[in-house]
Coordinates of all heavy atoms in Angstrom, one line a residue:
M1 N -137.7 7.2 -36.1 CA -138.7 8.0 -36.8 C -140.1 7.6 -36.4 O -140.4 6.5 -36.4 CB -138.5 7.8 -38.3 CG -139.6 8.4 -39.1 SD -139.5 8.1 -40.9 CE -138.4 9.3 -41.4
M2 N -140.9 8.6 -36.0 CA -142.3 8.3 -35.6 C -143.2 9.1 -36.6 O -143.0 10.3 -36.8 CB -142.5 8.8 -34.2 CG -143.9 8.5 -33.7 SD -144.3 6.8 -33.6 CE -143.4 6.3 -32.1
L3 N -144.1 8.4 -37.1 CA -145.1 9.0 -38.0 C -146.5 8.8 -37.5 O -146.8 7.7 -36.9 CB -145.0 8.3 -39.4 CG -143.7 8.4 -40.1 CD1 -143.6 7.5 -41.3 CD2 -143.4 9.8 -40.5
K4 N -147.4 9.7 -37.8 CA -148.8 9.6 -37.5 C -149.5 9.2 -38.8 O -149.5 10.0 -39.7 CB -149.4 10.9 -36.9 CG -150.8 10.7 -36.5 CD -151.3 12.0 -35.8 CE -152.7 11.9 -35.4 NZ -153.2 13.2 -34.7
I5 N -150.2 8.1 -38.8 CA -150.9 7.6 -40.0 C -152.4 7.7 -39.8 O -152.9 7.2 -38.8 CB -150.5 6.1 -40.3 CG1 -149.0 5.9 -40.2 CG2 -151.0 5.7 -41.7 CD1 -148.1 6.6 -41.1
L6 N -153.0 8.3 -40.7 CA -154.5 8.5 -40.7 C -155.1 7.8 -41.9 O -154.5 7.7 -43.0 CB -154.9 10.0 -40.8 CG -154.2 10.9 -39.7 CD1 -154.6 12.3 -40.0 CD2 -154.7 10.5 -38.3
F7 N -156.3 7.3 -41.7 CA -157.1 6.6 -42.7 C -158.5 7.2 -42.8 O -159.1 7.5 -41.8 CB -157.2 5.1 -42.4 CG -155.9 4.4 -42.2 CD1 -155.4 4.2 -40.9 CD2 -155.1 4.0 -43.2 CE1 -154.2 3.5 -40.6 CE2 -153.9 3.3 -43.0 CZ -153.4 3.1 -41.7
F8 N -158.9 7.4 -44.1 CA -160.2 8.0 -44.3 C -161.1 7.2 -45.2 O -160.6 6.4 -46.0 CB -160.0 9.5 -44.9 CG -159.4 10.4 -43.9 CD1 -158.0 10.7 -44.0 CD2 -160.2 11.1 -43.0 CE1 -157.4 11.6 -43.1 CE2 -159.6 11.9 -42.1 CZ -158.2 12.2 -42.1
A9 N -162.4 7.4 -45.1 CA -163.4 6.9 -46.0 C -163.3 5.4 -46.1 O -163.2 4.7 -45.0 CB -163.3 7.5 -47.3
Q10 N -163.4 4.8 -47.3 CA -163.4 3.4 -47.4 C -162.1 2.7 -46.9 O -162.1 1.6 -46.4 CB -163.6 3.0 -48.9 CG -163.7 1.5 -49.1 CD -163.8 1.2 -50.6 OE1 -163.7 2.0 -51.5 NE2 -164.1 -0.1 -50.9
T11 N -161.0 3.4 -47.0 CA -159.7 2.9 -46.5 C -159.8 2.7 -45.0 O -159.5 1.6 -44.5 CB -158.6 3.9 -46.8 OG1 -158.6 4.1 -48.2 CG2 -157.3 3.3 -46.4
R12 N -160.4 3.6 -44.3 CA -160.6 3.5 -42.8 C -161.6 2.3 -42.5 O -161.3 1.6 -41.6 CB -161.1 4.8 -42.2 CG -161.4 4.6 -40.7 CD -161.7 5.9 -40.1 NE -162.9 6.6 -40.7 CZ -163.2 7.8 -40.6 NH1 -162.4 8.7 -39.9 NH2 -164.3 8.3 -41.1
E13 N -162.6 2.2 -43.3 CA -163.6 1.1 -43.1 C -163.0 -0.2 -43.2 O -163.2 -1.1 -42.5 CB -164.8 1.3 -44.0 CG -165.7 2.5 -43.7 CD -166.7 2.8 -44.8 OE1 -167.0 1.9 -45.6 OE2 -167.1 4.0 -44.9
L14 N -162.1 -0.4 -44.2 CA -161.5 -1.6 -44.5 C -160.5 -2.0 -43.4 O -160.4 -3.2 -42.9 CB -160.8 -1.6 -45.9 CG -161.7 -1.8 -47.1 CD1 -161.0 -1.4 -48.3 CD2 -162.3 -3.1 -47.1
V15 N -159.6 -1.1 -43.0 CA -158.6 -1.4 -42.0 C -159.1 -1.5 -40.6 O -158.5 -2.1 -39.7 CB -157.3 -0.5 -42.1 CG1 -156.7 -0.7 -43.5 CG2 -157.6 0.9 -41.8
G16 N -160.2 -0.7 -40.4 CA -160.9 -0.8 -39.1 C -160.3 0.1 -38.0 O -160.6 0.0 -36.8
V17 N -159.4 1.0 -38.4 CA -158.8 2.0 -37.5 C -158.8 3.4 -38.1 O -158.6 3.5 -39.3 CB -157.4 1.6 -37.0 CG1 -157.4 0.3 -36.2 CG2 -156.4 1.5 -38.1
E18 N -158.9 4.4 -37.3 CA -158.8 5.8 -37.8 C -157.4 6.2 -37.9 O -157.1 7.0 -38.9 CB -159.5 6.7 -36.8 CG -161.0 6.9 -37.1 CD -161.6 8.0 -36.2 OE1 -161.1 9.1 -36.1 OE2 -162.7 7.7 -35.6
Q19 N -156.6 5.9 -37.0 CA -155.2 6.3 -37.0 C -154.3 5.4 -36.2 O -154.8 4.6 -35.4 CB -155.1 7.8 -36.5 CG -155.4 7.9 -35.0 CD -155.3 9.3 -34.6 OE1 -155.9 10.2 -35.2 NE2 -154.6 9.6 -33.5
L20 N -153.0 5.5 -36.5 CA -152.0 4.8 -35.7 C -150.7 5.5 -35.7 O -150.5 6.4 -36.6 CB -151.9 3.3 -36.2 CG -151.5 3.1 -37.7 CD1 -150.0 3.1 -37.9 CD2 -152.1 1.8 -38.1
E21 N -149.9 5.2 -34.8 CA -148.5 5.7 -34.7 C -147.6 4.6 -35.3 O -147.7 3.4 -34.9 CB -148.1 6.0 -33.3 CG -149.0 7.0 -32.6 CD -148.5 8.5 -32.8 OE1 -147.2 8.6 -32.7 OE2 -149.3 9.3 -33.0
L22 N -146.7 5.0 -36.2 CA -145.8 4.0 -36.8 C -144.4 4.5 -36.6 O -144.0 5.6 -36.9 CB -146.2 3.9 -38.3 CG -145.4 2.9 -39.1 CD1 -145.7 1.5 -38.6 CD2 -145.8 3.0 -40.6
E23 N -143.6 3.5 -36.1 CA -142.2 3.8 -35.9 C -141.4 3.0 -36.8 O -141.7 1.8 -37.0 CB -141.8 3.5 -34.4 CG -140.4 4.0 -34.1 CD -140.1 4.0 -32.6 OE1 -141.0 3.6 -31.8 OE2 -139.0 4.3 -32.2
G24 N -140.4 3.6 -37.5 CA -139.6 2.8 -38.4 C -138.8 3.7 -39.3 O -138.8 4.9 -39.1
D25 N -138.0 3.2 -40.2 CA -137.2 3.9 -41.1 C -137.8 4.0 -42.5 O -137.7 3.0 -43.2 CB -135.8 3.3 -41.1 CG -134.8 4.1 -41.9 OD1 -135.0 5.3 -42.0 OD2 -133.8 3.6 -42.3
F26 N -138.6 5.0 -42.7 CA -139.3 5.1 -44.0 C -138.8 6.4 -44.7 O -138.6 7.4 -44.1 CB -140.8 5.2 -43.7 CG -141.4 4.1 -43.0 CD1 -141.6 4.2 -41.6 CD2 -141.6 2.9 -43.6 CE1 -142.1 3.1 -40.9 CE2 -142.1 1.8 -42.9 CZ -142.4 1.9 -41.6
S27 N -138.6 6.2 -46.0 CA -138.1 7.4 -46.8 C -139.2 8.1 -47.5 O -139.1 9.3 -47.8 CB -137.0 6.9 -47.8 OG -137.5 5.9 -48.7
T28 N -140.3 7.3 -47.9 CA -141.3 7.9 -48.7 C -142.7 7.4 -48.2 O -142.8 6.4 -47.5 CB -141.2 7.5 -50.2 OG1 -141.4 6.1 -50.3 CG2 -139.9 8.0 -50.8
A29 N -143.7 8.1 -48.6 CA -145.1 7.7 -48.3 C -145.3 6.3 -48.9 O -146.0 5.5 -48.3 CB -146.1 8.7 -48.8
E30 N -144.7 6.0 -50.0 CA -144.9 4.7 -50.7 C -144.3 3.6 -49.8 O -144.9 2.5 -49.7 CB -144.3 4.7 -52.1 CG -144.2 3.3 -52.8 CD -145.5 2.7 -53.0 OE1 -146.6 3.3 -52.9 OE2 -145.5 1.5 -53.3
S31 N -143.1 3.9 -49.2 CA -142.5 2.8 -48.3 C -143.4 2.6 -47.1 O -143.5 1.4 -46.6 CB -141.1 3.2 -47.9 OG -141.1 4.4 -47.1
V32 N -144.1 3.6 -46.6 CA -145.1 3.4 -45.5 C -146.3 2.5 -46.0 O -146.7 1.6 -45.3 CB -145.6 4.8 -45.0 CG1 -146.7 4.6 -44.0 CG2 -144.4 5.6 -44.4
R33 N -146.8 2.9 -47.2 CA -147.9 2.1 -47.8 C -147.5 0.6 -47.9 O -148.3 -0.3 -47.5 CB -148.3 2.7 -49.1 CG -149.6 2.0 -49.7 CD -149.7 2.1 -51.2 NE -148.6 1.5 -51.9 CZ -148.5 0.1 -52.1 NH1 -149.4 -0.7 -51.7 NH2 -147.4 -0.4 -52.7
E34 N -146.3 0.4 -48.5 CA -145.9 -1.0 -48.7 C -145.8 -1.7 -47.3 O -146.2 -2.9 -47.2 CB -144.5 -1.0 -49.4 CG -144.5 -0.7 -50.8 CD -143.2 -0.7 -51.5 OE1 -142.2 -0.8 -50.7 OE2 -143.1 -0.6 -52.7
H35 N -145.2 -1.1 -46.4 CA -145.0 -1.7 -45.0 C -146.4 -2.1 -44.4 O -146.6 -3.2 -44.0 CB -144.3 -0.7 -44.1 CG -144.3 -1.2 -42.7 ND1 -143.4 -2.1 -42.2 CD2 -145.1 -0.9 -41.6 CE1 -143.6 -2.3 -40.9 NE2 -144.6 -1.6 -40.5
L36 N -147.4 -1.2 -44.5 CA -148.7 -1.5 -44.0 C -149.4 -2.6 -44.8 O -150.1 -3.5 -44.2 CB -149.5 -0.2 -43.9 CG -149.0 0.8 -42.9 CD1 -149.8 2.1 -43.1 CD2 -149.1 0.3 -41.5
A37 N -149.3 -2.5 -46.1 CA -150.0 -3.5 -47.0 C -149.4 -4.9 -46.8 O -150.2 -5.9 -47.0 CB -149.9 -3.0 -48.4
M38 N -148.2 -5.0 -46.4 CA -147.6 -6.3 -46.2 C -148.2 -7.1 -45.0 O -147.9 -8.3 -44.9 CB -146.1 -6.2 -46.0 CG -145.3 -5.9 -47.3 SD -143.5 -6.1 -47.3 CE -143.0 -5.7 -45.6
Q39 N -149.0 -6.4 -44.2 CA -149.7 -7.1 -43.2 C -150.7 -8.1 -43.7 O -151.3 -9.0 -43.1 CB -150.4 -6.2 -42.2 CG -149.4 -5.3 -41.4 CD -150.0 -4.4 -40.5 OE1 -150.6 -4.7 -39.5 NE2 -150.1 -3.1 -40.9
G40 N -151.1 -7.9 -45.0 CA -152.0 -8.8 -45.7 C -153.4 -8.6 -45.4 O -153.8 -7.6 -44.7
G41 N -154.3 -9.4 -46.0 CA -155.7 -9.3 -45.7 C -156.3 -8.0 -46.0 O -156.1 -7.4 -47.1
K42 N -157.0 -7.5 -45.1 CA -157.7 -6.2 -45.3 C -156.8 -5.0 -45.5 O -157.1 -4.1 -46.2 CB -158.7 -5.9 -44.1 CG -157.9 -5.8 -42.8 CD -158.9 -5.6 -41.6 CE -158.1 -5.4 -40.3 NZ -159.0 -5.4 -39.2
W43 N -155.6 -5.1 -44.9 CA -154.6 -4.1 -45.1 C -154.1 -4.0 -46.6 O -154.0 -3.0 -47.2 CB -153.4 -4.3 -44.2 CG -153.8 -4.0 -42.8 CD1 -154.3 -4.9 -41.9 CD2 -153.7 -2.8 -42.1 NE1 -154.5 -4.3 -40.7 CE2 -154.2 -3.0 -40.7 CE3 -153.3 -1.5 -42.4 CZ2 -154.3 -2.0 -39.8 CZ3 -153.4 -0.5 -41.5 CH2 -153.9 -0.7 -40.2
A44 N -153.8 -5.2 -47.1 CA -153.4 -5.3 -48.5 C -154.5 -4.7 -49.5 O -154.2 -4.0 -50.4 CB -153.0 -6.7 -48.9
L45 N -155.7 -5.1 -49.1 CA -156.9 -4.6 -50.0 C -157.0 -3.1 -49.9 O -157.2 -2.4 -50.9 CB -158.1 -5.4 -49.5 CG -159.4 -5.0 -50.3 CD1 -159.3 -5.5 -51.7 CD2 -160.6 -5.7 -49.6
A46 N -157.0 -2.6 -48.6 CA -157.3 -1.2 -48.4 C -156.2 -0.3 -49.0 O -156.4 0.8 -49.4 CB -157.5 -0.9 -46.9
L47 N -154.9 -0.8 -49.0 CA -153.8 0.0 -49.3 C -153.2 -0.5 -50.7 O -152.0 -0.3 -50.9 CB -152.7 -0.1 -48.2 CG -153.3 0.5 -46.9 CD1 -152.3 0.2 -45.7 CD2 -153.5 2.0 -47.0
A48 N -154.0 -1.1 -51.5 CA -153.5 -1.5 -52.8 C -152.9 -0.4 -53.6 O -153.5 0.7 -53.7 CB -154.6 -2.2 -53.6
K49 N -151.8 -0.7 -54.3 CA -151.2 0.4 -55.1 C -152.1 0.8 -56.2 O -152.7 -0.1 -56.8 CB -149.8 -0.2 -55.6 CG -149.0 0.9 -56.3 CD -147.6 0.4 -56.6 CE -146.8 1.5 -57.3 NZ -145.6 1.9 -56.6
G50 N -152.1 2.0 -56.5 CA -152.9 2.5 -57.6 C -154.4 2.8 -57.2 O -155.1 3.4 -58.0
K51 N -154.8 2.5 -56.0 CA -156.1 2.8 -55.5 C -156.1 3.7 -54.3 O -157.0 3.7 -53.5 CB -156.8 1.5 -55.2 CG -157.0 0.5 -56.3 CD -157.7 -0.7 -55.8 CE -157.9 -1.7 -56.9 NZ -158.6 -2.9 -56.4
L52 N -155.1 4.6 -54.3 CA -154.9 5.3 -53.0 C -154.4 6.7 -53.3 O -153.5 6.9 -54.2 CB -153.9 4.6 -52.2 CG -154.0 4.6 -50.7 CD1 -155.4 4.1 -50.2 CD2 -153.0 3.7 -50.1
L53 N -154.8 7.7 -52.5 CA -154.2 9.0 -52.5 C -153.6 9.2 -51.2 O -154.0 8.6 -50.2 CB -155.3 10.1 -52.8 CG -156.0 10.1 -54.1 CD1 -157.1 11.2 -54.1 CD2 -155.0 10.3 -55.2
V54 N -152.6 10.1 -51.1 CA -151.9 10.3 -49.9 C -151.7 11.8 -49.7 O -151.5 12.6 -50.6 CB -150.5 9.6 -49.8 CG1 -149.6 10.2 -50.9 CG2 -149.9 9.7 -48.4
A55 N -151.9 12.2 -48.4 CA -151.6 13.6 -48.0 C -150.5 13.6 -46.9 O -150.6 12.8 -46.0 CB -152.8 14.3 -47.5
I56 N -149.5 14.4 -47.0 CA -148.5 14.5 -46.0 C -148.7 15.9 -45.4 O -148.6 16.9 -46.1 CB -147.1 14.4 -46.6 CG1 -147.0 13.0 -47.3 CG2 -146.0 14.6 -45.5 CD1 -145.7 12.8 -48.0
N57 N -148.9 15.9 -44.1 CA -149.2 17.2 -43.3 C -150.3 18.0 -44.0 O -150.2 19.2 -44.2 CB -147.9 18.0 -43.2 CG -146.9 17.2 -42.4 OD1 -147.2 16.5 -41.4 ND2 -145.6 17.3 -42.8
Q58 N -151.4 17.3 -44.4 CA -152.6 17.9 -45.0 C -152.4 18.5 -46.4 O -153.2 19.3 -46.8 CB -153.2 18.9 -44.0 CG -153.6 18.2 -42.7 CD -154.2 19.2 -41.7 OE1 -154.4 20.4 -42.0 NE2 -154.5 18.7 -40.5
T59 N -151.3 18.0 -47.1 CA -151.1 18.5 -48.4 C -151.1 17.3 -49.3 O -150.3 16.3 -49.1 CB -149.8 19.2 -48.6 OG1 -149.8 20.4 -47.7 CG2 -149.5 19.7 -50.0
L60 N -151.9 17.2 -50.4 CA -151.9 16.1 -51.3 C -150.6 16.0 -52.0 O -150.1 17.0 -52.5 CB -153.1 16.3 -52.3 CG -153.4 15.2 -53.2 CD1 -154.0 14.0 -52.3 CD2 -154.5 15.6 -54.2
C61 N -150.0 14.8 -52.0 CA -148.7 14.6 -52.5 C -148.7 13.2 -53.3 O -149.5 12.4 -53.1 CB -147.7 14.4 -51.4 SG -147.5 15.8 -50.3
P62 N -147.7 13.1 -54.2 CA -147.4 11.8 -54.8 C -146.9 10.8 -53.8 O -146.3 11.2 -52.8 CB -146.3 12.1 -55.9 CG -146.2 13.5 -56.0 CD -146.8 14.1 -54.7
L63 N -147.2 9.5 -54.0 CA -146.7 8.5 -53.1 C -145.2 8.5 -52.9 O -144.7 8.0 -51.9 CB -147.2 7.1 -53.5 CG -148.7 6.8 -53.1 CD1 -149.2 5.6 -53.9 CD2 -148.7 6.5 -51.6
E64 N -144.5 9.0 -53.9 CA -143.1 9.0 -53.9 C -142.5 10.1 -53.0 O -141.3 10.2 -52.9 CB -142.5 9.1 -55.3 CG -142.8 7.9 -56.2 CD -144.3 7.9 -56.7 OE1 -144.9 9.0 -56.9 OE2 -144.9 6.8 -56.9
S65 N -143.3 10.9 -52.5 CA -142.9 12.1 -51.7 C -142.1 11.6 -50.4 O -142.5 10.6 -49.8 CB -144.1 13.0 -51.3 OG -144.7 13.5 -52.4
A66 N -141.1 12.4 -50.1 CA -140.3 12.0 -48.9 C -141.1 12.3 -47.6 O -141.9 13.2 -47.6 CB -139.0 12.9 -48.9
V67 N -140.8 11.5 -46.6 CA -141.4 11.7 -45.3 C -140.3 11.9 -44.3 O -139.2 11.4 -44.4 CB -142.4 10.6 -44.9 CG1 -143.6 10.5 -45.8 CG2 -141.7 9.2 -44.8
K68 N -140.6 12.6 -43.2 CA -139.7 12.8 -42.1 C -140.4 12.5 -40.8 O -141.6 12.6 -40.7 CB -139.0 14.1 -42.2 CG -140.0 15.3 -42.0 CD -139.3 16.6 -42.3 CE -140.2 17.8 -42.1 NZ -141.5 17.7 -42.6
S69 N -139.6 12.3 -39.7 CA -140.2 12.1 -38.4 C -141.1 13.2 -38.0 O -140.8 14.3 -38.2 CB -139.0 11.9 -37.4 OG -139.5 11.4 -36.2
G70 N -142.2 12.8 -37.5 CA -143.2 13.7 -37.0 C -144.3 14.0 -38.0 O -145.3 14.7 -37.7
D71 N -144.1 13.6 -39.3 CA -145.1 13.8 -40.3 C -146.4 13.1 -40.0 O -146.4 12.1 -39.4 CB -144.6 13.4 -41.7 CG -143.6 14.4 -42.3 OD1 -143.5 15.5 -41.8 OD2 -143.1 14.0 -43.4
E72 N -147.5 13.8 -40.5 CA -148.8 13.1 -40.5 C -149.1 12.7 -41.9 O -149.1 13.5 -42.9 CB -149.9 14.2 -40.1 CG -151.3 13.6 -40.1 CD -152.3 14.7 -39.8 OE1 -152.5 15.0 -38.6 OE2 -152.8 15.4 -40.8
I73 N -149.4 11.4 -42.1 CA -149.6 10.8 -43.4 C -151.0 10.3 -43.4 O -151.4 9.4 -42.6 CB -148.6 9.7 -43.7 CG1 -147.1 10.3 -43.6 CG2 -148.8 9.1 -45.1 CD1 -146.1 9.2 -43.7
A74 N -151.8 10.8 -44.4 CA -153.2 10.3 -44.5 C -153.4 9.5 -45.8 O -152.9 10.0 -46.9 CB -154.1 11.5 -44.5
F75 N -154.0 8.4 -45.7 CA -154.3 7.6 -46.9 C -155.8 7.6 -47.1 O -156.6 7.4 -46.1 CB -153.8 6.1 -46.7 CG -152.4 6.0 -46.7 CD1 -151.7 5.7 -45.5 CD2 -151.6 6.1 -47.9 CE1 -150.3 5.5 -45.5 CE2 -150.2 5.9 -47.9 CZ -149.6 5.7 -46.7
F76 N -156.2 7.8 -48.3 CA -157.7 7.8 -48.6 C -157.9 7.4 -50.1 O -157.0 7.5 -50.9 CB -158.3 9.1 -48.3 CG -157.6 10.3 -48.9 CD1 -158.0 10.9 -50.0 CD2 -156.5 10.8 -48.2 CE1 -157.3 12.0 -50.6 CE2 -155.8 11.9 -48.7 CZ -156.2 12.5 -49.9
P77 N -159.1 6.9 -50.4 CA -159.4 6.5 -51.8 C -159.6 7.7 -52.6 O -160.0 8.8 -52.1 CB -160.7 5.7 -51.6 CG -161.3 6.2 -50.4 CD -160.2 6.6 -49.5
P78 N -159.4 7.6 -53.9 CA -159.7 8.7 -54.8 C -161.2 9.1 -54.7 O -162.0 8.2 -54.6 CB -159.4 8.2 -56.2 CG -158.5 7.0 -56.0 CD -158.9 6.5 -54.7
V79 N -161.5 10.4 -54.7 CA -162.9 10.8 -54.6 C -163.5 10.6 -56.0 O -162.9 11.1 -57.0 CB -163.0 12.3 -54.2 CG1 -164.4 12.7 -54.2 CG2 -162.3 12.4 -52.8
T80 N -164.7 10.0 -56.0 CA -165.4 9.8 -57.3 C -166.5 10.8 -57.4 O -167.3 11.0 -56.5 CB -165.9 8.4 -57.5 OG1 -166.7 8.1 -56.3 CG2 -164.8 7.4 -57.5
G81 N -166.6 11.5 -58.5 CA -167.6 12.5 -58.7 C -168.8 11.8 -59.3 O -168.8 10.7 -59.8
G82 N -169.9 12.6 -59.3 CA -171.1 12.0 -59.9 C -172.2 12.9 -60.1 O -172.2 14.0 -59.8

């Protein structure tokens, strides 16, 4: 399974990359988040549970949403209004 992972806003600033290709056996966006956060350090901080929104193929989804090979998964912080 190959996924395209995108990072936006503060999440991108923290991890230091805009996008990456990820190969592995992932069932949900949450399993992808957990895998990336396990790298520790800035990854764990940027991808902390509860501080993240996810879009799959440009559609906002719950983290528990299923993913399939070829999907584009974007992680970004919740937008704060003001």
Side-chain angles (χ1 to χ4, degrees):
M1 168 185 280
M2 182 64 76
L3 300 169
K4 182 176 183 180
I5 314 298
L6 306 175
F7 304 99
F8 291 97
Q10 185 182 8
T11 305
R12 176 174 58 201
E13 291 168 21
L14 284 167
V15 299
V17 295
E18 273 187 47
Q19 66 182 51
L20 56 87
E21 299 270 321
L22 185 61
E23 192 168 355
D25 189 21
F26 302 102
S27 56
T28 63
E30 171 62 12
S31 63
V32 173
R33 184 204 65 78
E34 285 179 351
H35 172 80
L36 293 170
M38 284 193 331
Q39 295 180 72
K42 62 186 181 182
W43 290 89
L45 180 65
L47 299 169
K49 191 170 176 121
K51 297 182 180 177
L52 214 54
L53 295 175
V54 65
I56 301 172
N57 299 321
Q58 301 179 2
T59 300
L60 192 60
C61 299
L63 277 165
E64 296 76 29
S65 298
V67 296
K68 63 187 182 315
S69 189
D71 279 352
E72 177 186 276
I73 301 170
F75 291 108
F76 50 96
V79 177
T80 55

